[in-house]
Amino acid sequence: MTPPDSAQFPNAVVAARALSQQVPTADGLLAILSEVELAVQAGETLAITGASGSGKSTLLGLLAGLDQPSAGEIMLLGQRLGNLDEDARARLRAGRIGFVFQSFQLLPALTALENVLLPLELAGRADARERAAHWLDRVGLAARAGHTPRQLSGGEQQRVAIARAFATDPEIVFADEPTGNLDADTGARIIDLLFELNASARTTLILVTHDDALASRCQRRLHLVAGRTHETALA
């Protein structure tokens, strides 16, 4: 199958063709993903859903260039990931892609402000400290800037993670079960915040979730069953 290129997907910020992932087991190769096809346009919101073990997080990691597929091709921000080594993929992500994880992934020794500040400094932003403070204020945590993650609640930690994800003005935000470690009320507030910030920033949002309420907020849903995709338009 022809690999994706800019001509095939002129407005796509992420595209995949014939994407497959297999892992070795004692009984042989186990297919996690099989022949996945997708194209996500700039500014779209896409939910990747499916049962536990269906390959949702695996697909997200491949699309973000955090792992390499067994077969197929991925285009990310106009670059064919198969042509890039790990360092080049990291440079492509820097400042252009944000991440929100289920487990927050905050550095425990850093304050809330420092956690938001870090990717801005790595991206070489001259206004890094001002932007970090601005985004903490956007998520309602200006008063908690000097607190470390262990001094914050789960919802507050996820708000710091969201501020960190958006602070660099990314073109894409990848979110992996962003409400998975939160109670229902806190999760609902995080969903509202995530989509409010995404709409104002006009960022492409690709998220993995088992939460129908969260998935229904997206324009499109890609449902994984036995490693294969079934797409539904939601908005």
Side-chain angles (χ1 to χ4, degrees), residues 158 162 178-179 182 184-198 205 207 209 211-217:
Q158 195 60 297
I162 290 172
T179 61
L182 305 174
D185 288 342
T186 303
R189 291 194 294 272
I190 290 296
I191 290 172
D192 288 342
L193 176 63
L194 181 63
F195 280 89
E196 174 192 338
L197 295 180
N198 190 71
L205 176 63
L207 61 86
T209 185
D211 184 343
D212 281 340
L214 177 52
S216 68
R217 297 284 292 269

Side-chain angles (χ1 to χ4, degrees), residues 94-98 116 119-120 123 125 131 135 163-170:
R96 303 183 70 187
I97 290 178
V116 180
L120 289 162
R125 294 290 295 258
R131 283 198 64 80
W135 277 95
R164 179 183 59 187
F166 282 97
T168 58
D169 294 324

Side-chain angles (χ1 to χ4, degrees), residues 127-138:
D127 60 345
R129 184 164 290 273
E130 291 78 12
R131 283 198 64 80
H134 166 77
W135 277 95
L136 269 186
D137 185 53
R138 287 286 303 273

Side-chain angles (χ1 to χ4, degrees), residues 74-143:
I74 302 166
M75 288 287 294
L76 177 64
L77 297 171
Q79 298 290 314
R80 187 173 295 171
L81 293 184
N83 293 342
L84 306 178
D85 61 19
E86 186 174 348
D87 289 341
R89 295 196 302 272
R91 288 193 297 271
L92 176 63
R93 289 191 297 268
R96 303 183 70 187
I97 290 178
F99 291 95
V100 180
F101 298 100
Q102 177 178 350
S103 55
F104 318 133
Q105 297 289 346
L106 301 179
L107 295 176
L110 300 185
T111 64
L113 179 65
E114 290 166 342
N115 268 284
V116 180
L117 182 61
L118 183 59
L120 289 162
E121 290 183 327
L122 292 174
R125 294 290 295 258
D127 60 345
R129 184 164 290 273
E130 291 78 12
R131 283 198 64 80
H134 166 77
W135 277 95
L136 269 186
D137 185 53
R138 287 286 303 273
V139 300
L141 290 178

